[in-house]
Amino acid sequence: MRCVQCASFKDKVLDSRMSKDGTTIRRRRECVACGYRYTTYEQIERTELRVVKRDGTREAINREKLRNGLIKACEKRPVSMDRIDRAVDEILTELHRDHLSEVPSSGIGAKVMDKLHQIDPVAYVRYVSVYRQFEDVGEFIREIQALETRAARDPMQRRLFKE
């Protein structure tokens, strides 16, 4: 690494730590030439995941677009930004795990619906209504009735009762 202070390439690593999720390594470095200390982060470089849209066009997956969709669905709901960011990370991790280089937009929509179903039922219905392009109140009612029949399953929550 090049020192940001003196541009020397000679440094030594003082400390290395793995992030909580295990995807990043934080390294604390010191320049041998001038003694300046700085931090670097090391991540695995993933292949770029591309979205295949309904009309057949392809584009790079946009993390911010995914995040903004979740934020819009969760607007004025008791869902923290931290939970939304974790959901985006989980969705992207699942997409990378499930697909080599391309994913249909319907696959992304399905993953978002699954996450929102776990996070907040109102946000889930909001997202589904836009995603599936509801045109009348009857579609809302059917979706809410279906939501009531199936319980939200959070994988982090323990089962309290045996079925």
Side-chain angles (χ1 to χ4, degrees):
M1 298 301 281
R2 181 185 296 248
C3 175
V4 293
Q5 198 72 18
C6 71
S8 171
F9 282 106
K10 296 184 180 184
D11 68 2
K12 62 182 177 181
V13 176
L14 302 174
D15 182 43
S16 291
R17 294 185 187 192
M18 192 178 324
S19 66
K20 290 178 186 171
D21 62 356
T23 60
T24 306
I25 295 176
R26 176 187 175 269
R27 298 193 195 280
R28 191 75 181 132
R29 299 176 181 264
E30 181 177 14
C31 177
V32 175
C34 71
Y36 183 73
R37 290 185 176 194
Y38 54 98
T39 303
T40 60
Y41 295 90
E42 182 179 320
Q43 290 183 309
I44 295 172
E45 187 174 350
R46 292 182 168 170
T47 56
E48 183 177 296
L49 193 60
R50 300 190 64 76
V51 179
V52 181
K53 300 234 173 181
R54 289 180 185 160
D55 64 359
T57 58
R58 288 163 168 74
E59 66 180 47
I61 195 162
N62 186 334
R63 179 185 172 79
E64 281 305 306
K65 193 173 179 181
L66 180 61
R67 185 174 183 267
N68 289 339
L70 287 166
I71 289 170
K72 193 71 171 168
C74 295
E75 199 168 274
K76 297 184 181 180
R77 299 295 303 154
V79 179
S80 70
M81 290 304 295
D82 183 52
R83 182 62 186 109
I84 291 172
D85 288 335
R86 275 188 294 144
V88 170
D89 289 339
E90 291 166 5
I91 291 167
L92 290 173
T93 299
E94 289 173 19
L95 290 171
H96 276 284
R97 185 183 60 232
D98 296 347
H99 301 280
L100 296 173
S101 59
E102 293 183 334
V103 60
S105 59
S106 59
I108 296 171
K111 295 226 182 268
V112 170
M113 286 188 288
D114 287 344
K115 286 294 171 203
L116 285 173
H117 185 261
Q118 295 170 11
I119 295 171
D120 185 79
V122 173
Y124 167 79
V125 172
R126 282 181 182 168
Y127 185 85
V128 170
S129 69
V130 173
Y131 183 74
R132 292 189 185 155
Q133 300 173 346
F134 286 179
E135 294 186 14
D136 63 24
V137 176
E139 291 180 82
F140 274 101
I141 293 169
R142 284 189 291 280
E143 187 61 41
I144 290 169
Q145 287 171 341
L147 184 63
E148 287 177 345
T149 60
R150 64 177 186 255
R153 288 184 222 127
D154 186 348
M156 300 304 285
Q157 185 176 4
R158 294 184 311 138
R159 286 200 121 130
L160 296 177
F161 304 102
K162 293 181 181 177
E163 293 176 8

